[in-house]
Amino acid sequence: MGDARMTGAELDRLRSFRVLAEELHFTRAAARLHLTQPALSQQIRALERQLGTELVRRDARGCTLTEVGRLVAAEAGRALAEVDGAAARIRAAVGGRDGRLRLAYTRSARGGRVDALVARFRVLHPLVEVVPETAWTAPNVAGLLSGRFDAAFVRPPIDEPSLVCRHVDSEELLLAVPEKHRLATHRRIHRADILGEPAVMWPRENAAGMYDRTIAQVWPDGGFHLVRHEPDDEQLLRAVAEGAAIAAVPAGRARALKVPGVRLRRFAAPTPTVDIALAYPRDTTNPAVHRLAALVR
């Protein structure tokens, strides 16, 4: 009865027999199954031929089960529960309502639209197990290529043809300066104001595309004077607070950290920006990934 190779017709016979075993009346069972009584009788006879034994005895009040019939009814209930449960799990997975999503965040883009997007996904697909990690763009991309992650938030541009990269949001770059710096009182910072100023940045290998784009927008005419590397945004802003250097930082992260001794100033037009995107393998078959990507669109 638990044979996964049962045909559709055999499953139909078991379903019909299970209902008959509950009703012990052909007319009522046929009505529940939306069958005619002769059609139900035909299915039961076919099941008896298949098993080579009598399952049901008719009487004046309806029918009774034979000893074997009672055993078959119990086994049919278990077998059909397994089949129905498996079918429900498959439908849920195909619909993105079940399964697993190994999702990597990028350190510089927590909060804002990224967190709102994942929160929305969790509400719509509560049965999907989201397994989060946080790293920089470069290790996130490496994790996608190795199969460690199903999807990841990254700072584009990234040059990986095997990955889809969907734009999620754009974020303004601000200039972080020490509170006693000559530029701390300026409302808007012009590019010429910072030529040759000592600057602190995170390592380029964390996210090469974002690193190069930042320098191209903030120091378009050259004059980028790097004096120090720091591993993340918080340490970068602490270096600024010490008076060691200035730094170009994404607005959301910088404002959320609120490091004492740092003043955040906007640039004069054109406003420099960096992007955040959702990346995932182009050939992914994980339905949860496609559901998350659909929310981005």
Side-chain angles (χ1 to χ4, degrees):
M1 286 298 163
D3 191 343
R5 294 170 296 179
M6 282 191 293
T7 66
E10 290 169 337
L11 286 171
D12 286 343
R13 292 169 197 158
L14 280 183
R15 292 187 195 281
S16 295
F17 180 69
R18 183 184 62 176
V19 172
L20 180 62
E22 292 172 356
E23 294 290 344
L24 294 177
H25 196 283
F26 273 84
T27 301
R28 291 196 298 268
R32 275 182 58 183
L33 292 163
H34 303 287
L35 296 174
T36 63
Q37 187 172 327
L40 175 59
S41 297
Q42 186 177 11
Q43 284 193 337
I44 301 305
R45 284 196 295 271
L47 180 61
E48 289 176 326
R49 286 196 299 272
Q50 177 187 341
L51 298 177
T53 188
E54 184 183 31
L55 302 176
V56 177
R57 293 194 183 101
R58 294 176 181 264
D59 57 37
R61 291 180 297 178
C63 64
T64 58
L65 301 181
T66 65
E67 184 176 347
V68 175
R70 288 192 292 272
L71 175 63
V72 171
E75 289 294 330
R78 284 190 284 269
L80 291 170
E82 288 182 16
V83 171
D84 292 343
R89 289 190 294 273
I90 292 169
R91 287 194 301 270
V94 170
R97 297 186 301 277
D98 202 353
R100 195 164 183 253
L101 179 65
R102 298 168 299 168
L103 180 65
Y105 293 93
T106 184
R107 291 188 183 279
S108 65
R110 290 307 305 268
R113 185 138 190 248
V114 168
D115 282 7
L117 179 68
V118 177
R120 179 65 175 158
F121 177 83
R122 289 181 185 273
V123 168
L124 293 174
H125 309 289
L127 297 182
V128 173
E129 179 190 8
V130 178
V131 183
E133 289 195 35
T134 301
W136 293 101
T137 289
N140 284 354
V141 169
L144 289 172
L145 296 176
S146 68
R148 180 182 174 189
F149 301 135
D150 300 308
F153 291 102
V154 298
R155 290 290 194 179
I158 58 173
D159 184 20
E160 288 294 345
S162 65
L163 299 181
V164 176
C165 197
R166 294 198 177 279
H167 179 267
V168 173
D169 202 5
S170 293
E171 187 176 9
E172 183 177 358
L173 283 173
L174 302 178
L175 186 72
V177 300
E179 61 182 355
K180 296 184 179 179
H181 194 277
R182 64 180 177 85
L183 296 175
T185 58
H186 289 216
R187 290 191 61 196
R188 295 275 182 167
I189 305 298
H190 295 270
R191 271 62 168 186
D193 296 335
I194 61 172
L195 293 177
E197 281 282 330
V200 59
M201 279 281 279
W202 35 265
R204 184 177 183 273
E205 56 265 28
N206 288 356
M210 179 183 176
Y211 188 102
D212 294 343
R213 179 173 174 176
T214 297
I215 294 174
Q217 292 180 94
V218 176
W219 290 274
D221 301 318
F224 175 56
H225 178 37
L226 179 67
V227 296
R228 182 168 168 178
H229 275 138
E230 289 294 342
D232 56 39
D233 294 322
E234 184 172 3
Q235 295 304 316
L236 182 150
L237 290 172
R238 293 194 183 283
V240 172
E242 293 169 7
I246 62 172
V249 289
R253 185 73 171 147
R255 287 170 174 155
L257 288 169
K258 297 179 180 178
V259 175
V262 174
R263 296 291 179 266
L264 301 174
R265 294 293 177 260
R266 299 183 71 188
F267 284 94
T271 301
T273 61
V274 288
D275 295 334
I276 182 71
L278 178 70
Y280 53 92
R282 193 173 297 278
D283 60 355
T284 183
T285 58
N286 186 334
V289 174
H290 293 296
R291 293 289 175 175
L292 181 59
L295 291 181
V296 174
R297 291 197 296 270

